[in-house]
Amino acid sequence: MSSISEEKKIDAMPTTAAESTMPLIEKAPTPLRICCYGSSSSRTPKKYTDAAYNLGYHLAQRGHTCVNGAGNAGCMAAMNRGANDGDGAIVGVIHEAFVVDGSDWFEGAHSVFNTTKHRIITAKGNDLQERKKLLVQGADGLVVLPGGPGTWDELWEMACARHIGFHAMPIVCVNVDGYYDNFKSILVRAHEDELLYKQPEDILHFEQSAEAAVKWIETYHALEATKQQPEQKKVIRRRTSMLKRMQSNLSGSTMTVWGRMSSFFGDDVCDDDKEGEAASAETTSRRSATLSGMTMFAAGVSVGLLAASKVGLRKM
C-alpha cells in the first residue's frame, strides 16, 4: 500500500492558468448538500477534469457542501481540489477496505482530507451498498460528471429510484463534449417505446457545464419551494374560515342550539370569499331543513307525552 507522502504526490497536480484566475462567486441564498459522481481514473481527459474542478470550485463559492468518493485521481481529484481552492466544505465517503495498515489514512484518498477542515465518512460491509447509501444520504441534489462503469452504476441506480418514486432528488449530468448523449437518447427511445412511467427529463437532466448544472439544481429547489407556498396559504385561509364560523355560532342570538351545530358542522370549507358566497345559499337551505326536521321531531315528542299523560289520568 502507498504511503501518505506518495498519496500527496499523486494528487498534487499542477495548477492551471484557468484555475489560478477563478473568479469570486456570490453565495447562494440557501446552502445545499450536493452529491457528485465522476471518474477516478488517472487517465481521465483534461476536458473532464477541468469541468470537475469548476464544479468543486463553484459548489464551494456558492456555499454548498460537496460530497464525493474522496478519490485522488480523475474527476474526483479535480473536484476535491476545486472545492478546497474555493474554500468550501467537502465530505468524502470511502470504504473501510482502503484503510492503510497501521494508520488513520485511506489508500486512494485525496490529500485535502488530511486536514481537519474536511470530513471523511467510513463505509463498512462486504460490498459497496453502504458506501453508495452514505453518499446520497441527506443530499439535496446529484451532479454526475463523466466516468466509467462505477459512475454509471451509481447514476442509473439513483435514476431508477427516482423513476419509481423512492426519492425526488434532482439528478443532472454534466454532458461535457456530448459524453452523455447516448444516455439521453436511450431515455428518449424508452419513452417512445412506452417503457417509462415518467418523461425522460423528469428522470435525468443534462447540462453542458458544471456551472449550469449547479444553477439548475438551485432553480429546481427554488421552484419546489414556490409550489409549496399556495398549500400553506390554503391551510391558513381554512383556519380563518373555521374561526369565523365559530364566532358567528357563538354570537347569533336568534339561532337555536341545533341550528348552531348545523351551521358549524354543515358548512363547506371554502378557500376564498367567492366560494363562501356561493355556498351560503346551500348552507341556509340545509340549516332550514335541519330546523324543520327538529321542529317536527319536537312536536311529535310533545304529542306523545300529552297522550301518555291522558292515559295515565284515566287509569287513576
Side-chain angles (χ1 to χ4, degrees), residues 10-65:
I10 291 173
D11 59 55
M13 297 174 64
T15 302
T16 65
E19 291 177 9
S20 63
T21 58
M22 294 295 285
L24 294 176
I25 302 171
E26 183 181 358
K27 294 286 186 185
T30 304
L32 301 172
R33 184 182 177 96
I34 307 297
C35 176
C36 305
Y37 298 152
S39 76
S40 59
S41 169
S42 59
R43 299 185 299 274
T44 302
K46 184 178 180 299
K47 57 186 174 183
Y48 300 151
T49 57
D50 284 348
Y53 182 91
N54 290 338
L55 174 62
Y57 185 85
H58 203 77
L59 287 173
Q61 287 281 291
R62 292 292 282 169
H64 305 314
T65 298

Side-chain angles (χ1 to χ4, degrees), residues 131-176:
R131 176 181 174 272
K132 290 195 285 187
K133 180 180 178 180
L134 290 173
L135 277 167
V136 298
Q137 193 171 65
D140 298 300
L142 177 58
V143 180
V144 186
L145 292 158
T151 301
W152 304 339
D153 170 54
E154 294 168 330
L155 165 61
W156 284 115
E157 181 173 323
M158 292 304 294
C160 175
R162 178 175 169 83
H163 181 227
I164 60 179
F166 279 116
H167 73 83
M169 186 191 312
I171 307 174
V172 55
C173 295
V174 183
N175 194 24
V176 182

Side-chain angles (χ1 to χ4, degrees), residues 224-241:
E224 287 299 308
T226 303
K227 290 178 183 178
Q228 293 174 7
Q229 289 179 2
E231 291 298 322
Q232 293 174 355
K233 290 180 180 178
K234 196 171 186 179
V235 171
I236 293 172
R237 196 173 293 141
R238 288 184 175 184
R239 287 177 179 173
T240 303
S241 178

Side-chain angles (χ1 to χ4, degrees), residues 119-132:
R119 186 162 65 100
I120 278 190
I121 298 175
T122 307
K124 301 181 183 298
N126 56 4
D127 56 27
L128 296 175
Q129 292 306 309
E130 184 181 357
R131 176 181 174 272
K132 290 195 285 187

Side-chain angles (χ1 to χ4, degrees), residues 4 7 18 106 140 161-162 172 180 247 251 278 287 291:
I4 296 177
E7 295 297 338
F106 293 87
D140 298 300
R162 178 175 169 83
V172 55
Y180 283 116
Q247 291 171 354
S251 62
R287 185 181 300 155
L291 289 171

